[in-house]
Amino acid sequence: MRASGRTARGWRAAAVGCAVLVCVAGYGLFRSLPAGDVDPFGALTGALGALAGGAGLVVSARQYQRERRTGAKSTLARAVRTHEDRQYRNLLGPRKASVPVRFHLSAPPGGPEDSATATHEWPEITDRFLALPGPARRLAILGGPGSGKSLLAKELTLALASRQEENVREVPVLLSLSSWTGFPLYEKPENEAFHTAFRDWLVHETSRTYGQPPALVTDVLDGAPADVVLVLDGLDELDPGGDAGTPLARPRARALLRYLADNPACPGDVVLTCRTTVYEEFGGTAPLAGGARAELLPVPPDAALAHLRARSAWADHGRTERWDAVLEEIRTAPSSPVARQLLTPWRLTMTANAYHVRSEDGGHWHRDPAELVTRWGREALLDRYHREVVESGGPHRSPQASWDLLTPGERLRDAEASPVAEDMSGEAEEYLLSLYVPSVVAGHPVRRHRYPADRVARWLTLLATHRQRDDLTAPPTPGDLAEHRASLAPHQLWPLGGRRLVRTLHGSIATLIALAVTGLLVFTVHAPGDVLLGFPLIVSSVIAAVLAWSDRPDIDPSSRVGRTGRTLGIPDRTIIAVSLASAGVVWGGLYGMVVAGSVVEARPPDLPPIVWAATAAGALLGVPLLRNWSVETYTTVKGAAPGLRHRIFLVCAALRGRLPLRLGRFLDWAHQGGLLRVDGSAYRFRHDEFEQYLWRAHRRPRVLAVCLAAAESAYRAGTEVTEVTEVTEDTDGQAAADRMLTGVATLAEHRPDLSAACPAGTVAAAEETSEALRTWAAQLASGATGSRLVFHRDRATHALRRFRASAERRA
């Protein structure tokens, strides 16, 4: 009500001001012109006509504003439905195949207890949410990685947006919390300043995500508290890498939960998605105050096979026999490495994509699902477990005699509970991830042959390495980079073209332009008035040169900040863009006119054509110096300095073979195929596991090469002495032990990088090798000889062999 009152007073003041101006102008016109030159009656009629036209324009504008406010909810709901439906189709894949996501709903504190055994299918999430007790409905969607949290949040958002047209009041807004920068310094979540900061972020992200003017979003938020359902995706992505178990860890996530619990101005209906392990470490019975819990459940084997068969049925004329081997494996060994890959919707989607690719001639399938059973089925698990654990005397081993006495079922249970099964499950996952890009490219809905699969994988891998950490004063550790997520905002990708190269070229070009603009005016124009006419263009060129040398990821944040609202139905951002471009034309044209006029010594109105040509050239120069839009992607790179740097980056990256020259077209193509998704004005990878796989695949070869070289060097140093001491004791074991400990120290130094880039099985093999080498070196230093050294040598030999084999499988 206060906002509408201020608007009404503003319109009344504007109307009174226009009336006063018309009266003053009419009075001045009558007094200044000689009698008889103007018909008083005609002048009065014209003035009244102008006043009536202005009043009609004001009335039309006010009516437009009133209608816009009335239909703001419907407009925003339509925008949400259109945007989320596009993202939803990318997630579900061809034919919108139903993904078997199930959840268990726990009642909020104080509410009716739900049955402990009751489960619900994912389409029921909307009815279950609307049935929660009010007035403020809160729901936390919890699960593990890839369990379908984002999918369930999108299903809820899309369903609520569709129901809005059925006179349901709620308008959902789905936002990613990865863009939430935090809270005002020293402000408590209960304070008004915190609410203001969160509301500003909410308006900005909603406007940017759904393409609606901020004023319309503000109108919806200014309505009743029950008008908006705030769906916040990724609470665990706030402060990545922190340990939620400590009181001071994850400060942004904790502050947001406190704000939703204690701030009286916070939104009412809220849905949060978060990993279960992170959510439970925040403490309390309900970290989201008053919130129910939707616990996502593993996909049942029968549902997983039904989904795979359904995908295969429509793609292969109803034939599904190719999945029989996988079905039999899941029935007989539901905990085998293969079965573990079908427990979550994301991995189920990977499997379906990987084995629904036709050969080049289209006559047969390119891959057979039976290879999963052959490589990572129960028989392969038993064989590797017996070879690596039982026979070689590895950790978690059973004595050979006991192993021979076990029944087949007991052997399988021992193998499934061992680290070997985890290692094989990780191998199967990485194999499916390696097939994800080729399978998506082969089945792309639009122009599948535009980009080769190997180039797409190489470009996406480079994009996955772009993990800028501006909040760290020291160089980021591998663990920090591993936990952080790549935000592919186009205006921040320029370091991928070569940070120093792009920055140097941009700064040099902008500096040369500033020097040329300043030099032409200083050395050709001498009249003070003419210098003042060209001075604004000099200021603009100098500011652009200063920004060009900046090393920040976003070199001009002000270019993404504009007024939020409309004037006479026109967005204020559009008015600002047009006005700045017009100012560039005016000042650039004046600059060209005064410079050329001073050179040829001509003054208005007798200006030769060369001066007018220079005026046009100056006008063209002034536009990019003041305002420049580079609309190349689904999102926008705007601003003079970011636009020029983005173009320089594209050229540098293309010439160095890193990225395509038409990067925006490639990003949009990857988004259409489901490799990327859109959060606001930035791209993100389809899934965290996919992004992590690309990042690990980029870093892993170098890390493994260094660690293997260090382990083998230490092993050779110990072997030389041990083989000699079998014959004689007259050998310096301390020197060999020192050389071995040098290799062990190298392994310890690269331990964080190894943990970040390699699966747990490879890391465990490296730690076992390091421990065996360290013990062997200690024995050498103590002067031990004979069978004791041979025992430690054999132990290190087996450990190094396992480490090498694990590294080769991951290469």
Side-chain angles (χ1 to χ4, degrees):
M1 297 299 295
R2 291 196 301 267
S4 60
R6 288 195 298 267
T7 304
R9 288 194 297 271
W11 281 112
R12 286 194 294 270
V16 172
C18 289
V20 172
L21 288 176
V22 169
C23 294
V24 172
Y27 177 78
L29 180 65
F30 282 116
R31 291 295 304 270
S32 60
L33 295 178
D37 290 347
V38 177
D39 181 13
F41 180 76
L44 180 60
T45 303
L48 292 177
L51 185 60
L57 183 62
V58 170
V59 171
S60 300
R62 293 193 62 183
Q63 181 66 23
Y64 172 81
Q65 294 287 343
R66 187 180 301 109
E67 293 178 355
R68 184 178 63 81
R69 282 194 296 270
T70 303
K73 289 172 54 178
S74 300
T75 302
L76 182 58
R78 286 194 299 269
V80 171
R81 186 174 65 254
T82 301
H83 177 83
E84 298 303 335
D85 183 65
R86 182 187 307 171
Q87 305 294 321
Y88 199 59
R89 291 176 182 272
N90 288 346
L91 288 176
L92 292 183
R95 302 285 183 92
K96 296 186 68 175
S98 176
V99 180
V101 178
R102 305 183 310 150
F103 64 94
H104 167 65
L105 187 68
S106 301
E113 290 295 331
D114 196 6
S115 174
T117 59
T119 58
H120 309 284
E121 302 296 331
W122 59 275
E124 302 178 41
I125 184 63
T126 306
D127 293 331
R128 296 293 173 179
F129 173 74
L130 294 176
L132 292 176
R137 289 170 292 196
R138 304 287 177 90
L139 177 65
I141 300 177
L142 309 176
S147 58
K149 300 183 295 296
S150 297
L151 180 66
L152 201 61
K154 287 185 180 297
E155 166 65 22
L156 175 61
T157 303
L158 188 57
L160 288 176
S162 300
R163 293 190 181 195
Q164 203 278 337
E165 293 186 351
E166 304 173 6
N167 297 324
V168 178
R169 294 185 304 170
E170 293 82 0
V171 179
V173 174
L174 175 59
L175 301 176
S176 174
L177 281 175
S178 60
S179 60
W180 166 241
T181 56
F183 45 87
L185 190 62
Y186 304 120
E187 288 294 342
K188 296 182 178 180
E190 300 84 357
N191 294 348
E192 179 66 23
F194 193 102
H195 171 69
T196 302
F198 183 80
R199 180 183 172 84
D200 292 344
W201 171 82
L202 180 61
V203 171
H204 180 261
E205 288 299 314
T206 304
S207 173
R208 190 171 64 170
T209 301
Y210 299 112
Q212 298 301 309
L216 184 143
V217 177
T218 304
D219 290 339
V220 176
L221 295 178
D222 284 340
D227 284 350
V228 177
V229 177
L230 194 58
V231 184
L232 303 176
D233 188 16
L235 181 67
D236 51 286
E237 295 183 9
L238 291 176
D239 313 299
D243 182 10
T246 60
L248 299 180
R250 297 187 183 270
R252 291 188 297 167
R254 292 181 180 276
L256 181 61
L257 290 173
R258 284 183 55 197
Y259 164 75
L260 295 175
D262 301 333
N263 198 308
C266 70
D269 293 352
V270 177
V271 178
L272 276 177
T273 70
C274 184
R275 294 189 180 185
T276 305
T277 54
V278 176
Y279 186 78
E280 291 179 345
E281 289 175 352
F282 286 117
T285 57
L288 177 62
R293 292 164 59 112
E295 297 275 357
L296 291 167
L297 305 175
V299 178
D302 55 345
L305 266 297
H307 175 74
L308 294 175
R309 286 180 178 276
R311 287 283 301 268
S312 183
W314 67 257
D316 198 21
H317 308 289
R319 295 193 298 270
T320 60
E321 298 84 0
R322 54 200 301 261
W323 292 99
D324 288 344
V326 178
L327 175 61
E328 182 64 22
E329 175 71 19
I330 293 178
R331 284 176 176 173
T332 57
S335 299
S336 66
V338 172
R340 297 182 188 187
Q341 297 308 310
L342 305 178
L343 294 179
T344 64
W346 160 242
R347 297 184 180 182
L348 193 61
T349 301
M350 283 196 304
T351 306
N353 286 340
Y355 293 99
H356 286 85
V357 178
R358 293 281 187 178
S359 59
E360 292 293 335
D361 56 3
H364 60 277
W365 294 105
H366 188 61
R367 301 180 187 91
D368 186 1
E371 71 168 336
L372 291 174
V373 180
T374 304
R375 300 176 65 176
W376 298 289
R378 62 185 185 280
E379 295 298 334
L381 172 62
L382 286 171
D383 180 68
R384 186 186 295 185
Y385 179 76
H386 188 269
R387 185 176 64 254
E388 295 186 3
V389 178
V390 179
E391 291 183 348
S392 63
H396 307 282
R397 64 186 180 275
S398 298
Q400 181 67 43
S402 301
W403 175 261
D404 293 336
L405 295 176
L406 295 177
T407 65
E410 291 172 338
R411 293 179 182 180
L412 182 59
R413 285 193 294 271
D414 282 354
E416 289 174 345
S418 69
V420 176
E422 292 289 341
D423 200 23
M424 292 182 66
S425 180
E427 292 175 16
E429 178 189 356
E430 295 226 341
Y431 176 72
L432 293 173
L433 283 167
S434 69
L435 300 178
Y436 186 63
V437 172
S439 61
V440 169
V441 172
H444 198 283
V446 180
R447 299 181 182 180
R448 65 184 63 179
H449 300 297
R450 168 173 281 181
Y451 303 104
D454 56 340
R455 292 187 182 180
V456 173
R458 186 171 69 250
W459 294 337
L460 291 177
T461 300
L462 180 63
L463 292 173
T465 63
H466 181 64
R467 303 188 174 193
Q468 192 74 29
R469 293 301 304 270
D470 298 327
D471 56 333
L472 296 177
T473 56
T477 64
D480 293 328
L481 293 175
E483 292 294 333
H484 202 61
R485 297 295 177 264
S487 178
L488 308 181
H491 64 278
Q492 294 184 348
L493 293 178
W494 63 267
L496 294 178
R499 196 179 197 98
R500 181 177 298 177
L501 175 64
V502 173
R503 178 169 168 258
T504 301
L505 289 176
H506 186 199
S508 301
I509 293 173
T511 301
L512 289 176
I513 293 175
L515 291 176
V517 169
T518 305
L520 281 175
L521 191 67
V522 169
F523 293 107
T524 58
V525 179
H526 303 289
D530 292 344
V531 172
L532 291 177
L533 290 177
F535 187 71
L537 200 65
I538 294 178
V539 174
S540 300
S541 62
V542 171
I543 293 175
V546 172
L547 290 175
W549 287 104
S550 174
D551 194 44
R552 296 176 301 178
D554 190 359
I555 62 174
D556 187 12
S558 62
S559 63
R560 269 157 292 283
V561 178
R563 292 178 60 191
T564 59
R566 289 175 176 257
T567 301
L568 299 179
I570 304 174
D572 288 346
R573 290 175 295 180
T574 303
I575 295 176
I576 293 174
V578 172
S579 62
L580 288 176
S582 302
V585 170
V586 171
W587 292 112
L590 290 175
Y591 174 87
M593 178 179 291
V594 297
V595 170
S598 300
V599 171
V600 301
E601 296 182 355
R603 296 294 179 188
D606 299 327
L607 295 176
I610 187 65
V611 176
W612 292 111
T615 302
L620 293 177
L621 175 66
V623 174
L625 282 177
L626 286 180
R627 193 69 171 178
N628 180 33
W629 287 75
S630 176
V631 183
E632 191 202 359
T633 64
Y634 188 95
T635 60
T636 301
V637 178
K638 63 180 181 179
L644 179 58
R645 178 164 290 190
H646 185 68
R647 291 181 172 88
I648 295 174
F649 145 67
L650 292 177
V651 174
C652 292
L655 291 178
R656 303 177 72 177
R658 293 186 172 183
L659 292 169
L661 182 63
R662 295 292 303 276
L663 178 60
R665 185 175 68 173
F666 168 70
L667 293 175
D668 287 340
W669 179 87
H671 171 246
Q672 292 173 349
L675 293 169
L676 301 176
R677 55 191 173 99
V678 173
D679 282 341
S681 63
Y683 293 90
R684 294 190 67 188
F685 284 91
R686 160 71 180 270
H687 197 275
D688 286 346
E689 288 185 357
F690 176 49
E691 178 186 342
Q692 292 293 85
Y693 162 75
L694 294 174
W695 184 81
R696 292 196 307 266
H698 174 74
R699 298 181 66 94
R700 185 181 303 157
R702 182 184 61 84
V703 177
L704 284 177
V706 173
C707 293
L708 275 175
E712 291 174 352
S713 175
Y715 179 79
R716 285 193 301 269
T719 303
E720 294 173 358
V721 178
T722 302
E723 291 177 350
V724 172
T725 55
E726 291 179 5
V727 181
T728 176
E729 301 179 6
D730 192 16
T731 306
D732 186 7
Q734 184 63 48
D738 292 340
R739 292 197 301 271
M740 293 181 67
L741 291 177
T742 301
V744 172
T746 303
L747 280 173
E749 179 184 353
H750 289 83
R751 171 67 169 78
D753 209 350
L754 191 70
S755 300
C758 298
T762 305
V763 177
E767 291 180 344
E768 181 186 354
T769 303
S770 178
E771 181 61 27
L773 291 172
R774 184 182 294 107
T775 306
W776 187 10
Q779 292 295 322
L780 282 174
S782 65
T785 59
S787 60
R788 182 178 297 181
L789 282 184
V790 173
F791 169 78
H792 289 288
R793 180 196 63 185
D794 293 342
R795 180 189 173 196
T797 301
H798 293 312
L800 181 59
R801 185 181 299 138
R802 281 191 291 270
F803 181 32
R804 188 185 298 111
S806 180
E808 289 174 354
R809 288 193 295 266
R810 304 297 185 180

